[in-house]
Amino acid sequence: MASERERLHNLFPDLDFDPEQLRNRYREERDRRLREDGEAQYLEAEGEFARYADEDPYVEPDYEREPLELTLDVVVIGAGFSGLMTGARLKERAIDNFRIIESGGNFGGTWYWNRYPGAQCDIESYCYLPLLEETGYMPKEKYSYAPEIYEHVKRVGKYFELDDRAIFRTRVTQVKWLEDEALWEVSTHRHDKIRTRFVIQATGPANRPKLPGIPGINRFRGKSFHTSRWDYDYTGGDHNGGLARLWDKKVAVIGTGATAIQCVPFLGEYANELYVFQRTPSSVDLRGNKPTDSDWYDSLEPGWQRNRRENFAATLAGQNLGEDLVADGWTDIVRRIGLALRARQSDAGDLDMEELALRSEIADFQKMNEIRSRVDETVENSEAAEKLKPWYRQFCKRPTFNDEYLETFNRETVHLIDVADAKGVERITETSVIANGREYEVDCIIYATGFEITTDAHRRVDFDTIGRGGLSLYDHWRDGFRTLHGLSSHGFPNWFTIGINQNAFSPNMTAMFDDQAMHVSYIIDEVKRAEAEEGWVREIIRLAGTGPLSFLNECTPGYYNREGTAAQGTRQNTGYAPGINVFNDLLSAWRESGDLEGMIFS
Ligand code: NDP
């Protein structure tokens, strides 16, 4: 039997690295960072830390309104892309008696909160921005910056006339099923009384900022904020940079994930001194953004957007053997890593599973070697370059794409502080960040420490949902999510959730949310239509009374009384007893309401 080395040489005769060495290095680097406290290392943004999540720097602070009393068909909780798409799809089905409740001051969710300098979406705009064909909008570039996305969110809201369906600056405090009334009661921190047939929870995966549990974090007396609540009053400037008020400030950034990669270049340009505290370096690939070619855009055939996003999803799943329409960093990674998988599909039987895994691993090593070489080519200080190299497989962390981040470490005023060995920043004092036993005095600490994406479901929404028999959704989910298709849960009637758990995941989140929104609004529409029909049948029978039946039974046989066998069915099959004028009034009122209640069109 061939040795491991021979096998490798036979499969990859030109390999210029030792896979075993890389495997060992990856394990060592993982162990440097592994902490026993796991997810418990993070603090919830509540209590003394609530301001990191609750403060909204984008609206006037004082806002009051009278409590609302509403009876609705649907309440959507959350006005990010998932809530927005749900509202749009409900409207499309002429379901209009709904509200979208949102804690922020406008639509947008992630794109409402994350306005830090340089914020941009890594997913190609032609796939990511939904409803481009419907709204007739052409994205400016292949990758959109946050302000353009936020504008598009508002555009979709306008297009579907969702503005007056939204209740902003309002936090839901409880959702409770009222068994006797077969309705949900939605309570809010503004003491609204809302009853509704259906609830759709669209609270999003990145709605709660996460803070590191660094000892002393609450002692710091300087300025501090989370990247998703950027304080431009303090830094100066806006999303495009110009953070001029930092000219005399020493700034610390804690975290080096996708967010930090985008904002660090701007901080580096303006801060008097910038300290970037890094536990794990990100994999930073080329961005290569470019303006949209309007001739190309105009030439796209109707239906192009769904086609494109499905092509993207298929490519990422390794199922697309044909044209890669998006052809970017995401699909490049998968094309390489998926090489073995494709080979298996096209040449079934030729590859064993072990070989498949090995081929995929080698492709990953090659990709990450390129990422590491890029660091050497870009960062002048070899010590910093060494620290900026990611030693893990590509999809251990979200890959990032940026053409200015690595260059920032060539500035004399930018300092990379590697905290891997201490498994994080050591301590924070009233004036400083302490790392590796050294004190860094700073005026401002910016937490680029991410969101509660995978923590306990209840931790991510600060209200309870109480279903049949007083059961809390979070007790029902104590051992993990329990859903049908990731959308509904037993014991929680007429309740749906749009999200990322127990359904097919895609990094192109808006497409994923849109598909779910379409499905849920279809179900609600069908239920309502069936109910409308059932209600009309009951009304016909009620109005028919017993009169016509007893009369017909006395009659001589004929088709009027089914040849003398008139039964219950005859009453159901009669006309509308109050007569044609009353019926016409009823239809006219139905038309004037404009919501086409009970109808489905295709
Ligand atoms: P992440 O969770 O990705 O990153 C948090 C960072 O904080 C990590 O670098 C982490 O280090 C670091 N950190 C945490 N605790 C400590 C500590 N005690 N000491 C030092 N460092 C610490 O958050 P992001 O906001 O960057 O990204 C969150 C998600 O948002 C992304 O995964 C992505 O889905 C989305 N996003 C998408 C963007 C896009 O499309 N362009 C842009 C920005 C965000 P460590 O890695 O070692 O844990």
Side-chain angles (χ1 to χ4, degrees):
M1 211 172 121
S3 71
E4 175 66 27
R5 193 166 284 278
E6 281 167 346
R7 183 176 156 88
L8 255 176
H9 182 74
N10 290 341
L11 287 173
F12 309 99
D14 302 325
L15 214 56
D16 57 356
F17 59 88
D18 178 358
E20 194 50 29
Q21 244 176 28
L22 277 180
R23 279 186 207 118
N24 287 336
R25 177 81 194 256
Y26 284 12
R27 275 182 216 122
E28 279 164 27
E29 295 284 344
R30 179 200 60 188
D31 293 346
R32 282 175 77 199
R33 295 166 174 91
L34 208 55
R35 289 173 53 138
E36 277 177 14
D37 52 357
E39 287 193 320
Q41 69 180 281
Y42 295 104
L43 291 173
E44 281 191 68
E46 61 172 26
E48 59 187 312
F49 303 106
R51 74 171 182 87
Y52 286 101
D54 293 348
E55 274 177 17
D56 183 343
Y58 317 121
V59 288
E60 292 300 319
D62 299 318
Y63 168 71
E64 296 294 332
R65 65 163 172 79
E66 290 299 310
L68 302 167
E69 254 193 84
L70 298 167
T71 304
L72 302 166
D73 285 336
V74 188
V75 163
V76 181
I77 306 173
F81 261 125
S82 54
L84 183 78
M85 297 313 296
T86 304
R89 297 308 181 188
L90 287 172
K91 276 268 183 164
E92 225 172 36
R93 289 186 172 272
I95 299 168
D96 205 26
N97 184 24
F98 68 90
R99 292 291 183 281
I100 305 175
I101 305 178
E102 162 64 45
S103 60
N106 212 322
F107 292 108
T110 288
W111 301 106
Y112 175 82
W113 294 110
N114 286 277
R115 304 187 192 193
Y116 59 84
Q120 186 187 32
C121 184
D122 278 350
I123 302 294
E124 191 202 58
S125 59
Y126 319 123
C127 286
Y128 184 78
L129 294 181
L131 302 164
L132 289 176
E133 292 186 73
E134 290 81 345
T135 56
Y137 182 69
M138 181 184 86
K140 293 179 196 153
E141 290 161 293
K142 189 166 168 78
Y143 302 96
S144 295
Y145 283 96
E148 185 183 20
I149 301 174
Y150 185 43
E151 284 312 308
H152 189 65
V153 161
K154 290 189 276 184
R155 182 177 299 111
V156 170
K158 289 251 163 331
Y159 183 84
F160 284 95
E161 297 174 354
L162 294 174
D163 288 333
D164 60 359
R165 292 287 164 271
I167 305 175
F168 293 127
R169 305 188 71 173
T170 301
R171 266 181 288 116
V172 168
T173 51
Q174 191 189 61
V175 177
K176 187 176 178 192
W177 176 249
L178 307 175
E179 193 68 57
D180 293 344
E181 297 168 55
L183 289 175
W184 287 98
E185 180 185 68
V186 178
S187 313
T188 74
H189 86 296
R190 296 197 186 276
H191 311 292
D192 303 312
K193 282 191 186 154
I194 301 177
R195 298 205 162 186
T196 175
R197 298 268 333 272
F198 298 92
V199 168
I200 304 175
Q201 186 170 319
T203 42
N207 60 332
R208 297 287 294 171
K210 192 167 79 175
L211 290 173
I214 300 170
I217 181 171
N218 54 350
R219 291 186 55 206
F220 186 63
R221 294 289 159 254
K223 178 77 187 172
S224 66
F225 55 87
H226 187 272
T227 45
S228 64
R229 305 289 186 275
W230 197 273
D231 189 339
Y232 283 107
D233 278 347
Y234 180 82
T235 64
D238 58 23
H239 172 271
N240 297 311
L243 312 177
R245 289 188 195 150
L246 295 182
W247 72 275
D248 61 347
K249 302 281 189 296
K250 292 183 171 35
V251 178
V253 172
I254 298 181
T256 49
T259 298
I261 300 304
Q262 294 178 339
C263 66
V264 158
F266 294 89
L267 290 167
E269 190 180 347
Y270 288 94
N272 185 277
E273 299 284 339
L274 177 68
Y275 301 98
V276 180
F277 292 88
Q278 169 194 278
R279 185 166 61 190
T280 315
S282 278
S283 148
V284 188
D285 208 345
L286 276 174
R287 171 67 304 162
N289 202 4
K290 55 180 185 212
T292 304
D293 172 351
S294 57
D295 290 340
W296 164 74
Y297 199 76
D298 290 344
S299 73
L300 294 167
E301 299 285 335
W304 68 266
Q305 194 177 24
R306 174 158 280 276
N307 184 27
R308 193 172 185 92
R309 76 190 204 191
E310 285 180 359
N311 178 279
F312 182 56
T315 308
L316 291 189
Q319 294 158 350
N320 177 22
L321 299 170
E323 193 184 4
D324 169 11
L325 293 173
V326 172
D328 71 355
W330 284 98
T331 59
D332 174 53
I333 299 166
V334 179
R335 266 204 312 272
R336 288 156 179 248
I337 295 176
L339 195 73
L341 188 65
R342 290 179 191 191
R344 186 172 63 126
Q345 280 173 340
S346 58
D347 198 9
D350 279 354
L351 282 174
D352 61 36
M353 291 310 283
E354 227 175 286
E355 184 181 326
L356 196 69
L358 183 62
R359 280 184 184 276
S360 157
E361 188 189 25
I362 296 293
D364 194 316
F365 284 147
Q366 284 166 332
K367 177 75 197 179
M368 292 303 280
N369 280 343
E370 283 173 26
I371 296 281
R372 288 185 282 265
S373 300
R374 197 172 159 243
V375 180
D376 279 330
E377 286 153 22
T378 318
V379 179
E380 289 154 12
N381 177 326
S382 58
E383 209 182 313
E386 213 39 52
K387 289 175 185 160
L388 284 162
K389 290 181 189 166
W391 296 99
Y392 47 80
R393 288 186 66 166
Q394 179 80 69
F395 283 109
C396 286
K397 286 201 175 273
R398 185 184 169 104
T400 72
F401 308 87
N402 192 287
D403 300 339
E404 288 94 30
Y405 177 75
L406 293 172
E407 286 80 349
T408 303
F409 293 94
N410 293 333
R411 290 178 182 274
E412 277 185 11
T413 50
V414 177
H415 316 281
L416 180 71
I417 318 295
D418 184 273
V419 294
D421 285 325
K423 302 178 197 299
V425 166
E426 197 178 306
R427 205 152 38 91
I428 291 177
T429 69
E430 288 190 3
T431 53
S432 326
V433 178
I434 312 244
N436 310 323
R438 211 185 128 182
E439 180 168 2
Y440 299 87
E441 215 166 90
V442 290
D443 301 290
C444 171
I445 301 177
I446 300 175
Y447 294 103
T449 43
F451 303 91
E452 305 259 356
I453 297 177
T454 52
T455 45
D456 184 50
H458 198 183
R459 188 165 156 155
R460 282 183 276 138
V461 284
D462 50 5
F463 60 87
D464 203 354
T465 298
I466 299 164
R468 281 217 159 109
L471 178 67
S472 159
L473 181 66
Y474 303 104
D475 284 338
H476 185 52
W477 285 356
R478 191 181 292 122
D479 300 325
F481 285 91
R482 299 188 59 78
T483 69
L484 174 66
H485 301 153
L487 296 171
S488 56
S489 203
H490 188 62
F492 299 83
N494 299 357
W495 178 92
F496 300 94
T497 179
I498 308 282
I500 61 170
N501 299 101
Q502 294 194 343
N503 41 49
F505 182 78
S506 161
N508 187 15
M509 297 239 183
T510 54
M512 192 172 105
F513 295 152
D514 190 20
D515 290 340
Q516 293 175 35
M518 280 193 226
H519 189 73
V520 168
S521 37
Y522 160 81
I523 295 171
I524 293 177
D525 197 7
E526 282 288 323
V527 170
K528 279 174 60 64
R529 191 180 64 95
E531 280 174 353
E533 189 175 278
E534 187 57 34
W536 183 246
V537 170
R538 277 201 304 272
E539 184 72 347
I540 290 289
I541 293 171
R542 183 181 72 80
L543 292 171
T546 51
L549 194 63
S550 49
F551 167 79
L552 286 171
N553 280 338
E554 297 298 323
C555 287
T556 187
Y559 72 87
Y560 273 30
N561 66 357
R562 293 180 165 183
E563 304 302 334
T565 64
Q568 181 66 24
T570 310
R571 243 192 299 164
Q572 182 171 337
N573 294 347
T574 61
Y576 182 67
I580 191 155
N581 289 345
V582 182
F583 182 68
N584 281 340
D585 288 346
L586 184 141
L587 288 193
S588 158
W590 185 90
R591 284 195 298 275
E592 271 163 33
S593 81
D595 57 12
L596 305 178
E597 190 193 341
M599 303 293 291
I600 277 193
F601 296 96
S602 57

